[in-house]
Amino acid sequence: MGRTLAEKVWEQHVVRRADGEPDLLYIDLHLIHEVTSPQAFDGLRLAGRPVRRPELTIATEDHNVPTVLGPISDPVSKTQVETLRKNAAEFGIRLHPMGDAGQGVVHIIGPQFGLTQPGMTIVCGDSHTSTHGAFGGIAFGIGTSEVEHVLATQTLPAYRPKTMAIEVSGELPPGVTAKDLILAIIAKIGTGGGQGYIIEYRGEAVRKLSMEGRMTVCNMSIEAGARAGMIAPDETTFAYLKDRPHAPRGEAWDQAVAYWTSLRTDDDAVFDQVVEIDATTLTPYVTWGTNPGQGLPLGETVPAPESFADPVARQSAERALEYMGLTAGTPLREIEVDTVFVGSCTNGRLEDLRAAAEILRGRQVKTRTLIVPGSMLVKLQAEQEGLDEVFKAAGAEWREAGCSMCLGMNPDTLQPGERSASTSNRNFEGRQGKGGRTHLVSPQVAAATAVTGRLTAPADL
Amino acid sequence: MEAFTTHTGKAVPLRRSNVDTDQIIPAVWLKQVSRTGFEKGLFAAWREDPAFVLNDPSYEGASILVSGPDFGTGSSREHAVWALQQYGFRVVIAARFGDIFRNNSTKMGLLPVVLPAEKVEALQAAVEADPTLAVTVDLAERQVRWAGEVVAFEIDDYTRWRLMEGLDDIGLTLRHADEVTAYENGRQPWLPTTV
């Protein structure tokens, strides 16, 4: 019987397999940031253990950093960032600190450097590590104990998850994006739907996505409950990687491409579960609740809790409407927002900024609008294209690279009761600041919403 | 980590689903560089509500958290596990867990127990009826027991063994360092390094 892409990549990385034990899996690349690593380095020091492969490890500062120029004013954040700098220096790990041209959100810089390649195993103490699966590798988030384990051994003991195919047939209609697709998938299978699985996204609509769109889809696999999501590499993947700083060159490139081309699910392989989505029926999606599965097409209304048959879903909806300050039956298009955020590891890449700029060109924003590039390189490229001027002319704020308003760890937060349209990945209670209310949207919907002050699709303008 | 064989204690019912790790420990608490002091941040936003179940004195001292489904979804922050343990919890019982949270728990010796939703509901109701109810979580026998009820749960042999022995994963892996080296010698030549 044939094998799935996930099975092929997994088998390639098994260091040791023994009855009654999890597989010991080799890790090709370990990404590090300031938040989930300090206690891991402490553990190494306590046990007198070195980092086994510092040259397979890279660090950046992203979660805590302010996105305006200047030093970190919060002393606790400052200590955490300085701790990463000390640890990186002590253990010989390459670090891209604030202000460095290579700095950025950890899941944006890996692909940008060409460090993320097909068939690799990639981990990071961050659940959105699933992003890197867009290149056809197995990439997943880990906790601090596992960060320490990878630092010490370059391996992880793990059971192979089951495999799930999400088959997306047809083409996405114009104006419908990768973000809308993944929000629709999560609404369909639920936040627990992918638990215990590696998802492989397949089908015509997925094949036609750019690498940036594929990263947006894989990024939110974790919001569907799956630790990892992946897409088989193809010409789009190879074209993205060619000539990136860490991509193979010359003969090594040809060898790599030959191998990468074999990384696809065999025709006779069997997935443990298959989910089918018809791309042609999709429209822009937004979330109305406090988990990413609580999403609907923008043309719908806020649902009534009684409309959910499952008592757990009903109770969850009741609580969500109360927290979000929403009334059942309100058209989603009538929801007014205070803040618009375009950025994050989900939608902070150049293509996302171009999409937002196209809508904001020659228009004015009605809300506070933060445009935060995912990395310093994305910032530079956007400025070379003049996108920063478009944003500033529209009245939006053009910021430095970082995680920014995706999570309440740096100065970019919502005030209690404030409502945002956000291109990030989580609408949890308090995620963007205590008491803040989040609607997850695509960059296109975010930009259109900034113009009207209400949840809006570009086609409505 | 501390070994876990069997534990008897009071339980507290958390009647919410999708308890994501941002609720268990909000991001502002993640700026610490130490491993201690996270109990103060446990459910920090929810604890501001006097009606929140952890503020009910009848559940004081509870060491078993009985939650709605999809507990520990979202962020990979192991701080969620540290906060629960440092607050005094030894066990979390739910019908479904976020994969990363569940994994982090077993690395730290916090036992995640999956029970069928109707058994979770029955246990929550029993604890609400009598908050002093003694609940036993027996890892050796793979059972949860209360008031004459005996409910079996599943956990793989290897994780159970590690938890019962209180073993450190890194030490176990380092026993196989030769195999790691052998694997490294056969890695594909084009794979990138960060230097």
Side-chain angles (χ1 to χ4, degrees):
Chain A
M1 192 176 75
R3 294 183 301 164
T4 64
L5 169 61
E7 287 162 338
K8 289 181 184 181
V9 177
W10 186 278
E11 290 303 318
Q12 178 70 27
H13 290 86
V14 175
V15 170
R16 173 189 157 81
R17 177 169 285 161
D19 277 349
E21 289 180 25
D23 287 343
L24 190 63
L25 207 62
Y26 199 79
I27 302 302
D28 290 321
L29 179 67
H30 188 190
L31 306 155
I32 292 200
H33 61 87
E34 75 275 16
V35 180
T36 55
S37 65
Q39 296 87 352
F41 284 110
D42 272 352
L44 290 184
R45 265 189 294 268
L46 213 59
R49 289 170 176 150
V51 173
R52 183 180 175 94
R53 299 294 300 269
E55 80 281 17
L56 301 184
T57 314
I58 187 168
T60 187
E61 300 167 0
D62 56 4
H63 285 60
N64 273 279
V65 304
T67 57
V68 290
L69 285 173
I72 301 178
S73 55
D74 176 349
V76 191
S77 288
K78 189 158 174 267
T79 300
Q80 195 165 57
V81 166
E82 283 170 353
T83 303
L84 178 67
R85 290 177 190 178
K86 273 192 292 194
N87 285 330
E90 180 181 338
F91 289 94
I93 293 166
R94 170 174 158 193
L95 167 70
H96 292 284
M98 272 169 68
D100 181 273
Q103 181 265 344
V105 179
V106 66
H107 308 308
I108 304 234
I109 68 166
Q112 181 179 290
F113 284 130
L115 285 167
T116 300
Q117 297 175 15
M120 289 174 66
T121 47
I122 300 177
V123 297
C124 173
D126 189 286
S127 59
H128 290 109
T129 309
S130 57
T131 310
H132 306 265
F135 291 78
I138 293 179
F140 54 92
I142 57 179
T144 298
S145 290
E146 290 181 311
V147 170
E148 185 179 339
H149 194 285
V150 176
L151 287 171
T153 70
Q154 204 59 36
T155 64
L156 271 181
Y159 291 103
R160 187 175 65 72
K162 292 178 285 184
T163 56
M164 177 187 289
I166 295 189
E167 299 274 359
V168 190
S169 60
E171 275 187 66
L172 289 171
V176 182
T177 69
K179 183 64 164 284
D180 302 310
L181 171 59
I182 188 65
L183 286 174
I185 288 171
I186 300 164
K188 182 179 171 95
I189 72 172
T191 56
Q195 274 171 22
Y197 290 94
I198 293 180
I199 296 174
E200 183 183 336
Y201 301 96
R202 300 158 56 85
E204 186 186 359
V206 174
R207 295 256 69 84
K208 292 208 163 142
L209 289 175
S210 65
M211 278 321 292
E212 307 208 338
R214 293 179 188 186
M215 284 189 256
T216 299
V217 170
C218 289
N219 172 275
M220 290 189 71
S221 301
I222 184 70
E223 273 66 50
R227 268 180 109 170
M230 60 202 308
I231 294 172
D234 59 11
E235 290 304 325
T236 303
T237 321
F238 309 152
Y240 178 97
L241 275 168
K242 187 104 176 81
D243 298 326
R244 298 227 168 225
H246 290 271
R249 289 178 196 283
E251 205 178 312
W253 171 262
D254 297 334
Q255 281 178 348
V257 169
Y259 172 66
W260 295 343
T261 306
S262 74
L263 294 175
R264 54 187 62 251
T265 293
D266 296 327
D267 291 340
D268 57 344
V270 177
F271 289 92
D272 295 306
Q273 199 181 333
V274 178
V275 173
E276 289 177 357
I277 302 261
D278 179 358
T280 63
T281 63
L282 296 180
T283 57
Y285 253 69
V286 300
T287 61
W288 51 268
T290 54
N291 76 55
Q294 291 173 324
L296 278 172
L298 180 59
E300 300 281 333
T301 58
V302 175
E306 308 81 65
S307 67
F308 295 92
D310 172 30
V312 173
R314 193 182 316 138
Q315 188 211 24
S316 173
E318 265 169 27
R319 190 174 159 78
L321 292 196
E322 188 190 332
Y323 180 86
M324 294 294 288
L326 294 174
T327 310
T330 307
L332 294 170
R333 277 194 169 88
E334 287 178 14
I335 295 173
E336 294 186 2
V337 308
D338 309 290
T339 295
V340 167
F341 169 57
V342 176
S344 84
C345 59
T346 312
N347 281 127
R349 286 170 283 266
L350 188 59
E351 185 177 289
D352 302 313
L353 301 187
R354 284 179 184 150
E358 193 181 320
I359 290 152
L360 290 177
R361 194 180 298 277
R363 293 192 168 107
Q364 285 296 308
V365 301
K366 273 197 182 156
T367 66
R368 175 192 183 204
T369 303
L370 262 62
I371 315 278
V372 186
S375 71
M376 293 295 275
L377 182 65
V378 169
K379 179 169 187 268
L380 179 72
Q381 289 171 327
E383 288 175 353
Q384 283 168 348
E385 293 183 11
L387 303 185
D388 57 324
E389 294 304 327
V390 175
F391 295 132
K392 286 188 264 189
E397 298 175 42
W398 176 242
R399 296 294 192 89
E400 303 296 312
C403 293
S404 186
M405 202 179 266
C406 178
L407 84 173
M409 276 201 82
N410 56 70
D412 303 339
T413 53
L414 294 179
Q415 294 303 305
E418 268 189 332
R419 186 183 298 281
S420 77
S422 175
T423 67
S424 54
N425 40 55
R426 289 190 173 135
N427 52 345
F428 298 156
E429 291 180 26
R431 171 76 179 184
Q432 296 188 292
K434 199 171 151 192
R437 295 159 167 167
T438 304
H439 296 275
L440 301 177
V441 298
S442 70
Q444 287 83 341
V445 168
T449 299
V451 172
T452 65
R454 289 174 282 105
L455 292 177
T456 302
D460 304 337
L461 294 176
Chain B
M1 71 183 173
E2 197 183 341
F4 191 112
T5 47
T6 183
H7 172 78
T8 300
K10 284 170 66 178
V12 56
L14 180 61
R15 286 193 177 267
R16 289 185 189 182
S17 58
N18 273 291
V19 178
D20 59 77
T21 54
D22 271 82
Q23 306 316 314
I24 300 171
I25 184 104
V28 288
W29 288 87
L30 271 50
K31 298 179 184 181
Q32 307 296 330
V33 295
S34 72
R35 252 181 207 268
T36 54
F38 291 102
E39 68 279 9
K40 292 193 281 293
L42 180 71
F43 297 120
W46 291 354
R47 272 160 75 190
E48 287 182 11
D49 173 5
F52 182 57
V53 70
L54 284 191
N55 292 327
D56 183 339
S58 48
Y59 296 113
E60 206 175 316
S63 53
I64 301 166
L65 184 64
V66 189
S67 173
D70 297 310
F71 186 88
T73 53
S75 157
S76 66
R77 58 190 71 171
E78 196 164 306
H79 312 64
V81 175
W82 304 338
L84 286 160
Q85 286 184 311
Q86 289 162 17
Y87 188 86
F89 288 111
R90 300 286 320 274
V91 180
V92 183
I93 298 176
R96 287 196 303 267
F97 286 93
D99 283 340
I100 304 178
F101 173 85
R102 192 176 175 188
N103 214 43
N104 290 343
S105 298
T106 66
K107 303 293 176 189
M108 289 302 299
L110 175 74
L111 183 63
V113 174
V114 177
L115 291 189
E118 65 274 13
K119 294 297 180 187
V120 174
E121 165 65 33
L123 177 54
Q124 287 178 328
V127 174
E128 281 161 354
D130 175 13
T132 66
L133 183 73
V135 178
T136 296
V137 179
D138 188 336
L139 181 58
E141 296 294 326
R142 296 178 164 103
Q143 286 175 350
V144 181
R145 298 188 291 268
W146 72 91
E149 278 266 5
V150 179
V151 184
F153 66 88
E154 285 181 22
I155 185 166
D156 69 273
D157 291 341
Y158 184 81
T159 305
R160 173 172 164 274
W161 168 73
R162 258 197 337 96
L163 285 164
M164 290 182 64
E165 299 290 328
L167 290 173
D168 159 25
D169 255 349
I170 299 178
L172 290 174
T173 298
L174 288 174
R175 292 182 195 172
H176 307 302
D178 290 351
E179 286 166 84
V180 179
T181 304
Y183 177 89
E184 281 176 329
N185 292 335
R187 289 178 78 227
Q188 291 146 331
W190 61 80
L191 283 166
T193 67
T194 57
V195 292

